[in-house]
Amino acid sequence: MFCLVKRQTVEERRQEILETTCRVVIERGFAGTRVSDVAQRLGISSSLVHYHFESKESLLAEAFAHYARTALHELEEYVSEVAGPNEQLSRAIEDFVPEGSDDLEWMLWIDAWGEALRNPLMRRISQELDERGVALIESIVLRGNAEGEFDCPEPHSSAMRLMGLIDGLAVQFAAHAGVLTRANLLEAVTRLATWEVRPVRPLLTT
């Protein structure tokens, strides 16, 4: 009796390569990841990886895009689960702030920013994803203004400043031991958010 093995489609193979690349990058960093590392992990040839991605630069950029877009989509869904803009902003801040100095998602982001200085493809994707994060915060603030929960005169600028503070302190938190705790980071971001959006009731972050 013959056993038929389902053959992967081109898109399925591509997704498998992207997901494996993300795992390798988390372990080795962008600079230390080679196409051969990804191929070896998958048990395929490097030429097959190059069939789907023309260069190492495009592979790394698209792997980061795959990982980060998935994470942002999950965050958008997570934020939408709560009703009010106050709760949504609090939830977004909680999720954006790293869980700890070994937060793998933040380690990937920090490494991607460094890679973006050398890789134009990564630079474009990094900017797109940063702008999407700002847009999420801005949309929550706009809704808060419309519903009378916030009194923020410049939603876009406020969102930019909030994300800038989160990004800057997250790098300190993740890269430098003992500089600040997660509680310190959350307190700083919550204070700025309160000053920026002027909520009618306190934000709920802890």
Side-chain angles (χ1 to χ4, degrees):
M1 184 175 181
F2 292 101
C3 179
L4 296 177
V5 178
K6 182 183 176 183
R7 189 174 181 178
Q8 278 186 314
T9 66
V10 171
E11 184 56 31
E12 286 171 342
R13 173 63 83 181
R14 180 182 172 84
Q15 290 299 307
E16 183 182 50
I17 292 171
L18 289 173
E19 288 165 9
T20 301
T21 301
C22 288
R23 290 193 290 271
V24 174
V25 168
I26 287 171
E27 295 171 11
R28 302 174 64 97
F30 284 103
T33 296
R34 302 170 300 180
V35 172
S36 59
D37 297 324
V38 177
Q40 183 176 20
R41 186 71 60 91
L42 284 167
I44 61 177
S45 66
S46 295
S47 60
L48 183 54
V49 177
H50 282 296
Y51 171 79
H52 293 276
F53 302 93
E54 63 181 19
S55 65
K56 173 187 170 180
E57 289 72 23
S58 64
L59 172 63
L60 295 179
E62 292 194 47
F64 173 63
H66 171 75
Y67 186 95
R69 284 172 182 154
T70 299
L72 280 169
H73 177 69
E74 290 173 353
L75 172 58
E76 288 162 352
E77 290 192 333
Y78 178 62
V79 166
S80 70
E81 290 172 0
V82 291
N86 185 299
E87 291 78 9
Q88 287 184 341
L89 182 57
S90 298
R91 182 167 278 200
I93 289 171
E94 288 270 6
D95 194 87
F96 275 127
V97 168
E99 288 292 331
S101 58
D102 58 349
D103 187 314
L104 293 179
E105 184 173 325
W106 262 101
M107 290 167 65
L108 192 64
W109 268 100
I110 293 169
D111 200 13
W113 285 330
E115 182 67 17
L117 297 174
R118 299 175 292 275
N119 181 343
L121 292 173
M122 183 72 80
R123 187 180 310 127
R124 175 178 55 79
I125 290 169
S126 175
Q127 181 175 344
E128 171 209 321
L129 294 167
D130 282 340
E131 289 173 352
R132 185 167 162 184
V134 170
L136 173 61
I137 298 294
E138 182 181 5
S139 69
I140 296 170
V141 176
L142 286 168
R143 182 187 169 198
N145 281 350
E147 295 182 8
E149 284 277 341
F150 302 151
D151 180 24
C152 178
E154 299 178 334
H156 180 72
S157 296
S158 292
M160 286 283 290
R161 285 189 286 269
L162 274 171
M163 289 304 300
L165 180 64
I166 292 171
D167 291 346
L169 290 182
V171 171
Q172 296 295 319
F173 179 49
H176 303 138
V179 172
L180 75 168
T181 65
R182 186 172 192 268
N184 297 149
L185 207 167
L186 276 171
E187 180 185 9
V189 176
T190 302
R191 282 189 179 186
L192 179 62
T194 299
W195 185 85
E196 290 283 359
V197 307
R198 305 171 193 174
V200 298
R201 54 197 173 91
L203 296 175
L204 302 177
T205 50
T206 56

